Structures are given as C-alpha cells and as structure tokens.
Amino acid sequence: MKKYFLFAALAAFCLTAGAQSALDLKIGPLLDKHDYAKAEEILNTELAKANEKWEKKKIKDPAALPDTKKLAEVYNKLGDVYGMQFNKELLNAAQSLPLDTMKYIQMLDKTVECYTNSYVNDVAPDEKGKVKAKFVANNKKQLFGMVDYYYYGGIFMHNNHDMPAACREFKKFINYRKNPAFTAAEQDSIYKAKKADYDQAALNVALIYYQNKDWDNLLANVDEAMGDPKNMRDAYIMKMNAYLEKKDTASWVNCLEEAVTRVEDNTNFIEQLVGYYTTKKDAVSANAYVDKLLAANPNNKTALYMKGCIKMNIEEKYEESREYFGKVLAQDADDVNSNVNMAVSYVQDIREKVLGGHYKYYTGTSRTITNKNGTAAYNKEIAAYQKEKAEVQEYYQKAKTYAEHVRELKPDNVRLWGPALSIIYSNLEMRKEAKEVDDIISAFYKK
C-alpha cells in the first residue's frame, strides 16, 4: 500500500472590486497602505453596531430581523480584508518563498467565513419579505475561486508533520462544495470537476489516520476514500486492519466479504476469506455467503472460484471443487488461480486416495511383488498394480496440464507452480523435468 499526496497547481486568489460605497471609501485607503488591522477594526466595529441595533429592536419586537443588507456589506468587505492577507501567503507558497502556514489557514478560514456570511445575509428576506441581493455575484465568484485552497492547506500541514491539522484541512476541502452559496447543481459540478482531488484527499485522510493507528477515526472516514476504484483495495486493507486491531472479528469478516465483491483485484481477499472459513471449518457460513452471490449471478467468476475453494479446502470434495474451477476456466482459460487450484485439487485428491488405502497394490512407495504364489498369481498382481498405477498417474497427468499452464502464464512466480510441478513430475517418473524444477526452486529461494 503506497503513501502518496498529490499536489494541485498553486494559483493566486483573485479579489474583484465592485461599486464604491461609503464603507469602501472609508477602508479603501487603509487597504492601499496594507493597514489590514485598522480596516478590520473599523469593519468589526460596524458589525458590533449592527448587532447592537438588532438587540435593541428585539427588546420591542422579539421577531425583529437584523439589518441583513448592512451585515452582507460588512462581511463582504471583511472577506476582502482577510482575502488580501491570505493572498500574500498564497503567493509566497506559489513562489516557494517562506510561508506562514498557520496564517495561511487562519486567513483562509476567515475569508471563506466572511464571504459565506455575506452571501447568507444578502439572500435573506427583509422585514417585508423581499430579497434585495447586492453581493451575491461577488461572494459566489470569490468562493468559487477558493475551491482548491484547503487541499493545499492539508498538504502544507502534512509537510509540517501536523497530522491532525492536515486531516482537518483535507476534510474542509472535501466538504467545501457544500457551502450554502452553491446551488445543488453547482455542488455537483464542483464535485465532478474536482473528483480526482476529492478522492485523493479522502485517501490522504484515511492514510494519516491509519499511519497514526487512530482506528476509530479511520473507520469513520475510510469509506469516503472508496470513491475511486483505484483506491478501493488500499481502503479495504486499512479498514480490515482497523477491525483486527479493535479485535472486532465479526466486522472484519463482513468487511472482507464486501471487499471480495467490490474490489477488482480481489485474489488476496478471497484467500483471506476462504482461509478464515477453513480455519473455522465453517462450511455453512462460507456456502451461505457464496450461494447468495451465485443466486444473484450464476456466472459470477469470483463466487464460482470461492465455491471451488470451499469444496476443496473445507469440505474436501475434490471432484466437486473441480466442477466449479472448471466453470471459471470455461469463461477464462487463463484464470491463474483456477488453473492452480485445478492442479492442486487433482494432486490432493489422488494423494489422499493413495494414502487412505484406496489402492491395494499401488501405495506410492516401492513395493515388491513376488511369484511365491505362482506365476499366474504374480502376473495377476502385476497387472492389478499397473492398472492402479495408470489410474493414479492419470490424476497427475491432468494436474500437469494445469500446472504447466500456470508456469506459462506466470513464469517468474516460481512459488506458484514450482512445488506442484515437482510433485507431479516425480509421480509421473519424469526425473529430468523434476530435477529441472527442483533446481529452479532451489535457485529461487537462494536469491
């Protein structure tokens, strides 16, 4: 599982000017001199006056509304003041100059908050129920232009090794599109345009929680990282490990079953799930899960493969297992795992028959047949032995076909086909081939 954070291209925040008002004339000269503290003081005084006036009105009329037009204007101007300070830090970052990361975050939060408050007040009906919006276009334009900045903030905080802050900023980026200034259609448009960044940010959050072993927060956030199929495998691995760390086996199994059905590269998940059911000898639960998948789609390759594994590993019904692996191979003759298990099924099947006393003469070890009972009896025993041997070798011949195909498909994965082919060649008395494979296996493990 890889740890990675993707950067978006840094771009400057662009403030736009509207028509000059009395308030603009008062704070404009201060902004020209970069006296942000004085401009902020004046605007906060205006906010206090507006709220004080509203409180007095509410004494006479509890239902009285605030002066939303005034609030909309003051918040819009405050957004400009904070935006200018934010823009300075943003430009430093874009030019690789020293960056005050905390000021970047603080000014970003304040800028967004002020433009959002301006928008909310601007679209609020007055006491006559009328809406006289003046700053909507400006507020929306500024807020639209700031979509990426929390993502940058997450990266800056991560690079400062402040992981809790990095998570907060990435989450703000993920949730930013839900700003009340954006319509449902605009939110959808923002999400579609930035989907790759949203998916990456969600994965970043999950990775940070995972690396810090913050299992509860990981579980609360990891599902959002599954929006991109490329992230899904890593997300499920993190989620399952979190359940294991919390010793929640039931949730781990449920998560694993879900991963099998959703993740494209699901071989490892299948092996874990079958391994779990095999260890528990729980054929009932295993079959219930797989049969549900097959009921929905009888040609589900994953379910057919798992059914074969259950038959082979839990129930030890080798012939039945081969029926299911065969159904997978009928759809995809190059399915590596089904080829492997077809070979393994034939080998395990015949070995258990031999070791279990199924054959009278062929035991898998050297055995001397004498003619002490006469030539006729000797010939009869030899014939019986040869017949049993031929039947045994037929299993190995069939296994050989599948194991050799695995070798063709995955020539470098010696562990996948080497041990099986060694056993098969030895039992088929193919000594030269068996030695070649044994030498390959030996060289492989010496690396």
Side-chain angles (χ1 to χ4, degrees), residues 66-298:
D67 185 353
T68 54
K69 300 306 110 184
K70 182 68 174 179
L71 292 174
E73 181 184 17
V74 175
Y75 275 124
N76 180 264
K77 303 312 171 191
L78 263 176
D80 290 348
V81 173
Y82 293 131
M84 288 179 180
Q85 296 173 75
F86 166 73
N87 205 33
K88 178 182 177 182
E89 299 304 322
L90 181 66
L91 290 172
N92 285 343
Q95 297 172 35
S96 300
L97 297 174
L99 169 69
D100 185 337
T101 309
M102 292 308 301
K103 188 173 182 180
Y104 172 100
I105 297 299
Q106 290 168 357
M107 291 300 105
L108 174 58
D109 282 340
K110 288 183 176 182
T111 304
V112 170
E113 180 183 7
C114 286
Y115 284 134
T116 301
N117 285 339
S118 177
Y119 174 86
V120 170
N121 280 283
D122 205 24
V123 298
D126 59 20
E127 292 178 337
K128 296 180 180 180
K130 296 182 178 180
V131 175
K132 298 178 181 178
K134 183 178 180 181
F135 301 96
V136 166
N138 180 260
N139 288 325
K140 285 174 73 77
K141 182 173 183 178
Q142 305 297 14
L143 290 168
F144 266 120
M146 304 180 78
V147 170
D148 290 323
Y149 297 137
Y150 282 115
Y151 189 94
Y152 306 153
I155 294 171
F156 297 151
M157 288 302 185
H158 177 266
N159 292 343
N160 286 346
H161 308 290
D162 188 343
M163 299 309 166
C167 278
R168 285 197 301 272
E169 299 313 304
F170 283 128
K171 286 182 183 178
K172 288 177 187 176
F173 169 73
I174 292 168
N175 293 318
Y176 185 79
R177 68 182 186 277
K178 299 174 185 176
N179 188 290
F182 304 142
T183 66
E186 288 167 342
Q187 291 178 24
D188 186 58
S189 177
I190 292 170
Y191 177 75
K192 289 178 179 177
K194 299 289 179 181
K195 185 178 185 308
D197 292 334
Y198 284 126
D199 292 336
Q200 183 63 47
L203 183 62
N204 292 349
V205 170
L207 283 167
I208 290 171
Y209 286 135
Y210 183 75
Q211 289 153 5
N212 286 284
K213 300 182 179 181
D214 187 346
W215 309 123
D216 289 333
N217 271 319
L218 170 67
L219 291 172
N221 290 274
V222 70
D223 284 353
E224 194 152 17
M226 297 184 186
D228 185 344
K230 294 194 296 292
N231 297 340
M232 198 172 291
R233 185 175 184 278
D234 284 352
Y236 271 114
I237 290 173
M238 290 188 282
K239 190 174 182 178
M240 287 186 291
N241 284 340
Y243 283 131
L244 287 177
E245 291 292 335
K246 290 170 67 68
K247 298 181 174 19
D248 186 348
T249 304
S251 295
W252 177 81
V253 173
N254 290 336
C255 183
L256 188 51
E257 289 180 343
E258 185 179 300
V260 167
T261 61
R262 294 189 67 196
V263 178
E264 186 174 348
D265 180 14
N266 62 2
T267 300
N268 180 260
F269 297 130
I270 293 173
E271 290 173 351
Q272 288 189 65
L273 188 56
V274 173
Y276 169 78
Y277 285 131
T278 301
T279 301
K280 295 290 184 180
K281 300 293 183 184
D282 189 356
V284 174
S285 296
N287 279 312
Y289 170 69
V290 173
D291 288 345
K292 183 167 65 174
L293 298 180
L294 289 173
N297 178 10

Side-chain angles (χ1 to χ4, degrees), residues 1 15 184 317 328 336 356 372:
M1 192 165 56
L15 292 168
K317 296 178 179 178
V328 176
V336 173
K372 64 180 180 179

Side-chain angles (χ1 to χ4, degrees), residues 275-372:
Y276 169 78
Y277 285 131
T278 301
T279 301
K280 295 290 184 180
K281 300 293 183 184
D282 189 356
V284 174
S285 296
N287 279 312
Y289 170 69
V290 173
D291 288 345
K292 183 167 65 174
L293 298 180
L294 289 173
N297 178 10
N299 295 316
N300 184 323
K301 284 175 58 179
T302 294
L304 290 169
Y305 174 75
M306 286 189 66
K307 189 74 170 181
C309 291
I310 293 166
K311 292 293 182 183
M312 181 173 72
N313 297 321
I314 304 178
E315 298 178 355
E316 297 182 355
K317 296 178 179 178
Y318 301 108
E319 187 173 350
E320 291 183 29
S321 77
R322 293 192 290 273
E323 290 180 16
Y324 288 98
F325 296 136
K327 289 180 180 179
V328 176
L329 294 174
Q331 297 182 50
D332 180 6
D334 292 336
D335 184 87
V336 173
N337 294 312
S338 293
N339 275 286
V340 169
N341 281 324
M342 281 292 260
V344 171
S345 176
Y346 275 116
V347 170
Q348 288 187 186
D349 194 356
I350 196 58
R351 291 184 77 179
E352 288 191 13
K353 285 179 178 177
V354 171
L355 296 175
H358 180 78
Y359 296 104
K360 181 178 179 180
Y361 297 100
Y362 188 90
T363 62
T365 58
S366 299
R367 180 171 179 173
T368 303
I369 300 175
T370 66
N371 62 354
K372 64 180 180 179

